[in-house]
Structures are given as structure tokens and as C-alpha cells.
Amino acid sequence: MIKTPICDLLGIEYPVFQGGMAWIADASLAAAVSNGGGLGIISAMNANGEWLRGQIREAKKLTDKPFGVNIMLMSPFADEVAKVVVEEGVPVVTTGAGNPAKYMPAWLEAGIKVIPVIPSTGIAKRVARAGAAAVIAEGGESGGHIGELTTMALVPQVCDAVDIPVIAAGGIADGRGFAAAIMLGAVGVQMGTRFLVAHECNVHPNYKKKILEAGDIDTASTGRRLGHPVRSLKTPFTREYMKKEYDPNVSNEELEGLGAGALRKAAVEGDEKAGCFLAGQIASMVTKEQPAAEIITDVCTQAEEILKGACKWVR
Ligand SMILES: Cc1cc2nc3c(=O)[nH]c(=O)nc-3n(C[C@H](O)[C@H](O)[C@H](O)COP(=O)(O)O)c2cc1C
């Protein structure tokens, strides 16, 4: 069994987080992951405080284990949901797309463990100084919003830069990736793409099908021109977006408009033409639907075997 300091810090059995995923990571998925011994995370995405409150209460009915909430700092409801996590006694908050400094004092006072998703050592140091309990170092192989560095390059540099625990994310789908993350100095992993096909994940069936059918070079990153690149499956939507992204006659406003609502179209409606199917580069390694708990034990068991045998090359 792999036990690391993050297990004791958060009261979880396995050092495996399910990443916040807008329009997808709801109470059902988060509770299933937490019941499986990992850390389930509800995505607050762009929804308002009352929606989040409902999801938190639903998750509490489904599990008595710790779970977290992911707050997208760019959300127009960020101030509102930042209060809801305090009022509802959520033990862990992860943050994405921005600097959580503004909310940290209130969260820390409430005893919340704040674990920001970070793309660089500079931001890791800044959030560590502000009181983060740990950081999630996410490489650009991941699905969703991405930074510049790969997981392989980012994780060891973040481990050297801060004294708090580091969770690795991006490009991890099985025990090999988990074991590698441990070797790089991480004390846990966060997976998004692999959990998309969990039985308890309520994403549209077309989304699951596309993940299961994806090949190794089937993702692309778009949105660099607007300063917030995302990784998704190559689809008619991404092809159109890319064409316009490199067309100087297309304004930034038009480009923004094209992307708006595209994830919801994919996740909720399964729209294969207009939807944006966020997914990581390891989508092709995701080959079967499983209960979330089984995904966690499969990954951990494989990692354990690899780590036990890791000294075989050492003479
Ligand atoms: C469909 C999808 C939606 C995502 N939405 C968010 C989000 O709302 N907030 C966030 O911090 N990260 C988001 N992410 C990133 C994940 O939380 C996670 O860090 C990432 O998926 C890990 O890389 P992997 O996809 O290679 O497993 C999303 C990822 C995916 C695949």
C-alpha cells in the first residue's frame, strides 16, 4: 500500500485526487472517488453559490469521507462560492486559473486546506507563502487549461522550490505514471481524463465514447492567442477554432464567442460538432469504463508493484 504525507494531511486512504472538471465533476463523481479512498473534488466551475451548496450537501449524503471543491478563480461567482465552502465546512479547496491570495485568509481561518493548481515554480512559491497546504503541479499534457511546462519538467522543479507537499497532475493514467510522479518527488497524483469514464461520472455518453476511442495524437491545444490555452480532443470545433485563431482578420471577441459554452455542449449535450471535449494526452490509455474505486485501486496496485521492483536496475 502506498501511504504518503498527503494521506495523513487530508485523512484519505490513497494519494489520488480526482481533478475538478467543469460541467462534469459533480457530487456523484466526487463522492464515488472519496468512497474509493481518494479525494473526490466537486467543480464549482461558473455556477453560483446555491448550485455549489446543493452539490456539497448531496455529496455529504453520499459519503462520510473527506472531499474537496475546485474553485475556478476566473468564475464570475468566485466571491460567492468562496464563502459557500466556508459555510458548508468543506475540508479541502483546490483552485485553478488564477491567484487565490484574496480568499486565503478566510479559508485558512476556517481550517480549510488550500491546494492550488499551479503551472510554474514562481506561482508555487507565492501560494506556499500565502499558506497553501500543498500544491498540484499540473503539466501541459493535461486536459483543460494548460501551462507551458510538461509534468516531467515541472514536478521536480516545484518539489525543489517549495517545502509543502506536491501532487503531480497531467499525463497520469495508470500506475506507471503514478510511480514516475513519486520518483519525481511528488507525494500523490491528480487525474482528470481517466475519471471521465468512471461509472459514476455523469458526463454525456458521447464524451465517454470519444475518450475511449481517442488515439495518442488526438488532442490539440487551442486558445494560446487569448492567453489561456486549453487541451481538448481534435474535433470539428477545434479545427474551426484553430483556423480562426491563426486568421488575423478574426477578432479576439469573435474567438471568445466561439469558445463560450463549448465545454457545456460537449459534456451535457454530447454535441460532437460544436462541443469542446477537454481531454489530456493520455486519453488513448483510457480503454474501459470502471467504477471510480476500481480505477483508484488499479492505479495504486500497479504503482506499488513498479515501485517495489524499481531497484532492479541498481547495481
Ligand atoms: C474535462 C476537463 C475539465 C477540467 N476542468 C477543470 C476545472 O474546471 N478546474 C481545474 O482546476 N482543472 C480542470 N481540469 C484539469 C483537471 O482537474 C486535472 O488537473 C487534469 O485533468 C489532469 O490531467 P489529465 O487530464 O492528464 O489526467 C479539467 C480537465 C478535464 C479533462
Side-chain angles (χ1 to χ4, degrees):
M1 178 147 200
I2 300 173
K3 276 269 171 224
T4 71
I6 202 72
C7 299
D8 300 326
L9 186 72
L10 304 182
I12 56 178
E13 205 179 334
Y14 301 105
V16 175
F17 291 14
Q18 158 254 311
M21 293 185 279
W23 291 105
I24 296 167
D26 60 7
S28 161
L29 180 60
V33 170
S34 289
N35 282 331
L39 184 76
I41 297 177
I42 297 170
S43 176
M45 52 172 189
N46 285 332
N48 66 24
E50 284 322 296
W51 180 87
L52 179 63
R53 199 186 302 281
Q55 289 295 310
I56 294 169
R57 292 187 179 174
E58 180 64 22
K60 282 182 186 164
K61 281 189 212 149
L62 298 170
T63 185
D64 56 3
K65 304 270 172 60
F67 62 86
V69 166
N70 172 257
I71 298 187
M72 276 259 297
L73 297 162
M74 273 167 22
S75 162
F77 297 103
D79 286 355
E80 211 174 300
V81 296
K83 283 200 194 107
V84 169
V85 291
V86 173
E87 288 159 8
E88 295 296 319
V90 172
V92 183
V93 166
T94 68
T95 60
N99 183 351
K102 175 178 164 194
Y103 305 111
M104 294 283 279
W107 287 343
L108 296 180
E109 196 182 318
I112 294 175
K113 306 256 181 344
V114 186
I115 311 186
V117 178
I118 55 96
S120 67
T121 56
I123 301 180
K125 283 186 199 162
R126 201 185 309 152
V127 297
R129 274 198 304 272
V135 286
I136 300 164
E138 187 191 64
E141 301 94 319
S142 77
H145 287 268
I146 53 172
E148 286 298 327
L149 298 183
T150 59
T151 304
M152 183 75 130
L154 177 67
V155 171
Q157 295 188 68
V158 173
C159 291
D160 287 347
V162 294
D163 291 330
I164 52 178
V166 177
I167 310 299
I172 300 163
D174 65 11
R176 293 171 296 180
F178 186 163
I182 299 276
M183 292 296 184
L184 294 175
V187 292
V189 293
Q190 169 162 293
M191 298 187 294
T193 302
R194 178 135 188 205
F195 281 116
L196 282 170
V197 301
H199 285 170
E200 302 86 350
C201 178
N202 289 320
V203 74
H204 194 283
N206 288 353
Y207 209 126
K208 292 190 177 183
K209 188 168 140 275
K210 287 185 95 62
I211 296 292
L212 294 169
E213 287 172 359
D216 57 346
I217 54 169
D218 285 350
T219 71
S221 68
T222 55
R224 225 162 267 279
R225 179 172 137 187
L226 298 177
H228 42 84
V230 298
R231 180 173 301 287
S232 61
L233 293 177
K234 289 177 189 162
T235 58
F237 167 82
T238 46
R239 276 186 275 276
E240 192 194 341
Y241 193 102
M242 276 168 134
K243 222 187 308 157
K244 294 198 165 161
E245 187 165 13
Y246 293 103
D247 182 345
N249 297 317
V250 173
S251 68
N252 283 357
E253 290 69 32
E254 190 184 335
L255 214 50
E256 288 276 10
L258 185 64
L263 174 59
R264 191 193 62 78
K265 283 185 194 144
V268 180
E269 295 165 22
D271 186 334
E272 299 194 29
K273 278 209 182 101
C276 177
F277 293 77
L278 297 182
Q281 289 182 331
I282 43 67
S284 71
M285 289 165 63
V286 180
T287 53
K288 62 176 177 186
E289 295 183 47
Q290 287 172 289
E294 201 177 286
I295 292 175
I296 296 168
T297 45
D298 274 8
V299 169
C300 290
T301 308
Q302 191 189 11
E304 199 178 316
E305 279 164 20
I306 292 169
L307 289 169
K308 275 185 191 156
C311 56
K312 72 182 171 194
W313 306 116
V314 181
R315 296 277 183 272

PDB file of all heavy atoms in Angstrom, residues 8 41 52 96 104 106 112 156 173 212 220 248 273:
ATOM      1  N   ASP A   8      -2.130  11.436   5.324  1.00  0.00           N
ATOM      2  CA  ASP A   8      -2.332  11.847   6.724  1.00  0.00           C
ATOM      3  C   ASP A   8      -2.873  13.268   6.800  1.00  0.00           C
ATOM      4  O   ASP A   8      -3.761  13.569   7.602  1.00  0.00           O
ATOM      5  CB  ASP A   8      -1.006  11.755   7.504  1.00  0.00           C
ATOM      6  CG  ASP A   8      -0.468  10.336   7.494  1.00  0.00           C
ATOM      7  OD1 ASP A   8      -1.301   9.401   7.513  1.00  0.00           O
ATOM      8  OD2 ASP A   8       0.758  10.152   7.430  1.00  0.00           O
ATOM      9  N   ILE A  41     -13.433  15.591  -5.844  1.00  0.00           N
ATOM     10  CA  ILE A  41     -13.481  17.062  -5.890  1.00  0.00           C
ATOM     11  C   ILE A  41     -14.658  17.518  -6.755  1.00  0.00           C
ATOM     12  O   ILE A  41     -14.756  17.142  -7.927  1.00  0.00           O
ATOM     13  CB  ILE A  41     -12.143  17.632  -6.430  1.00  0.00           C
ATOM     14  CG1 ILE A  41     -10.987  17.274  -5.482  1.00  0.00           C
ATOM     15  CG2 ILE A  41     -12.234  19.146  -6.623  1.00  0.00           C
ATOM     16  CD1 ILE A  41      -9.609  17.717  -5.944  1.00  0.00           C
ATOM     17  N   LEU A  52     -23.590  25.256  -5.937  1.00  0.00           N
ATOM     18  CA  LEU A  52     -22.489  24.560  -5.259  1.00  0.00           C
ATOM     19  C   LEU A  52     -22.946  24.014  -3.912  1.00  0.00           C
ATOM     20  O   LEU A  52     -22.637  22.880  -3.543  1.00  0.00           O
ATOM     21  CB  LEU A  52     -21.291  25.498  -5.075  1.00  0.00           C
ATOM     22  CG  LEU A  52     -20.113  24.863  -4.348  1.00  0.00           C
ATOM     23  CD1 LEU A  52     -19.535  23.691  -5.150  1.00  0.00           C
ATOM     24  CD2 LEU A  52     -19.017  25.887  -4.069  1.00  0.00           C
ATOM     25  N   GLY A  96      -8.064  26.877  -9.468  1.00  0.00           N
ATOM     26  CA  GLY A  96      -7.488  26.876 -10.812  1.00  0.00           C
ATOM     27  C   GLY A  96      -7.651  28.244 -11.439  1.00  0.00           C
ATOM     28  O   GLY A  96      -8.473  29.052 -11.001  1.00  0.00           O
ATOM     29  N   MET A 104      -7.494  33.471   0.633  1.00  0.00           N
ATOM     30  CA  MET A 104      -6.736  32.589   1.534  1.00  0.00           C
ATOM     31  C   MET A 104      -6.981  32.880   3.023  1.00  0.00           C
ATOM     32  O   MET A 104      -7.199  31.939   3.794  1.00  0.00           O
ATOM     33  CB  MET A 104      -5.236  32.664   1.224  1.00  0.00           C
ATOM     34  CG  MET A 104      -4.848  32.126  -0.129  1.00  0.00           C
ATOM     35  SD  MET A 104      -4.800  30.341  -0.251  1.00  0.00           S
ATOM     36  CE  MET A 104      -3.231  29.969   0.453  1.00  0.00           C
ATOM     37  N   ALA A 106      -9.513  33.986   4.752  1.00  0.00           N
ATOM     38  CA  ALA A 106     -10.798  33.457   5.242  1.00  0.00           C
ATOM     39  C   ALA A 106     -10.804  31.928   5.223  1.00  0.00           C
ATOM     40  O   ALA A 106     -11.306  31.273   6.144  1.00  0.00           O
ATOM     41  CB  ALA A 106     -11.940  34.002   4.391  1.00  0.00           C
ATOM     42  N   ILE A 112      -9.669  25.386   6.334  1.00  0.00           N
ATOM     43  CA  ILE A 112      -9.680  24.708   5.023  1.00  0.00           C
ATOM     44  C   ILE A 112      -8.248  24.505   4.537  1.00  0.00           C
ATOM     45  O   ILE A 112      -7.410  25.398   4.655  1.00  0.00           O
ATOM     46  CB  ILE A 112     -10.473  25.561   3.989  1.00  0.00           C
ATOM     47  CG1 ILE A 112     -11.948  25.626   4.379  1.00  0.00           C
ATOM     48  CG2 ILE A 112     -10.305  25.013   2.581  1.00  0.00           C
ATOM     49  CD1 ILE A 112     -12.787  26.538   3.491  1.00  0.00           C
ATOM     50  N   PRO A 156       9.620  18.045 -10.604  1.00  0.00           N
ATOM     51  CA  PRO A 156      10.827  18.109  -9.756  1.00  0.00           C
ATOM     52  C   PRO A 156      11.235  19.535  -9.422  1.00  0.00           C
ATOM     53  O   PRO A 156      11.744  19.807  -8.329  1.00  0.00           O
ATOM     54  CB  PRO A 156      11.907  17.409 -10.602  1.00  0.00           C
ATOM     55  CG  PRO A 156      11.369  17.335 -11.982  1.00  0.00           C
ATOM     56  CD  PRO A 156       9.872  17.400 -11.897  1.00  0.00           C
ATOM     57  N   ALA A 173      -2.253   8.291 -16.072  1.00  0.00           N
ATOM     58  CA  ALA A 173      -3.475   7.499 -16.276  1.00  0.00           C
ATOM     59  C   ALA A 173      -3.372   6.116 -15.659  1.00  0.00           C
ATOM     60  O   ALA A 173      -4.357   5.390 -15.588  1.00  0.00           O
ATOM     61  CB  ALA A 173      -3.772   7.349 -17.767  1.00  0.00           C
ATOM     62  N   LEU A 212     -12.720   6.935 -25.024  1.00  0.00           N
ATOM     63  CA  LEU A 212     -12.348   5.525 -25.189  1.00  0.00           C
ATOM     64  C   LEU A 212     -11.793   5.247 -26.592  1.00  0.00           C
ATOM     65  O   LEU A 212     -10.996   4.332 -26.771  1.00  0.00           O
ATOM     66  CB  LEU A 212     -13.563   4.621 -24.904  1.00  0.00           C
ATOM     67  CG  LEU A 212     -14.051   4.654 -23.451  1.00  0.00           C
ATOM     68  CD1 LEU A 212     -15.398   3.950 -23.314  1.00  0.00           C
ATOM     69  CD2 LEU A 212     -13.023   4.010 -22.524  1.00  0.00           C
ATOM     70  N   ALA A 220      -5.257  18.453 -29.030  1.00  0.00           N
ATOM     71  CA  ALA A 220      -4.578  19.663 -29.514  1.00  0.00           C
ATOM     72  C   ALA A 220      -4.797  20.763 -28.491  1.00  0.00           C
ATOM     73  O   ALA A 220      -5.741  20.700 -27.696  1.00  0.00           O
ATOM     74  CB  ALA A 220      -5.170  20.087 -30.856  1.00  0.00           C
ATOM     75  N   PRO A 248      -5.668  36.530 -38.986  1.00  0.00           N
ATOM     76  CA  PRO A 248      -5.569  37.890 -38.416  1.00  0.00           C
ATOM     77  C   PRO A 248      -6.842  38.717 -38.621  1.00  0.00           C
ATOM     78  O   PRO A 248      -7.039  39.719 -37.944  1.00  0.00           O
ATOM     79  CB  PRO A 248      -4.384  38.512 -39.170  1.00  0.00           C
ATOM     80  CG  PRO A 248      -4.150  37.647 -40.357  1.00  0.00           C
ATOM     81  CD  PRO A 248      -4.727  36.309 -40.093  1.00  0.00           C
ATOM     82  N   LYS A 273     -20.220  18.168 -32.916  1.00  0.00           N
ATOM     83  CA  LYS A 273     -19.770  19.193 -33.879  1.00  0.00           C
ATOM     84  C   LYS A 273     -19.332  20.471 -33.162  1.00  0.00           C
ATOM     85  O   LYS A 273     -18.237  20.967 -33.375  1.00  0.00           O
ATOM     86  CB  LYS A 273     -20.919  19.539 -34.828  1.00  0.00           C
ATOM     87  CG  LYS A 273     -21.076  18.558 -35.963  1.00  0.00           C
ATOM     88  CD  LYS A 273     -21.664  19.255 -37.198  1.00  0.00           C
ATOM     89  CE  LYS A 273     -21.855  18.257 -38.312  1.00  0.00           C
ATOM     90  NZ  LYS A 273     -23.255  17.821 -38.435  1.00  0.00           N
TER      91      LYS A 273
END
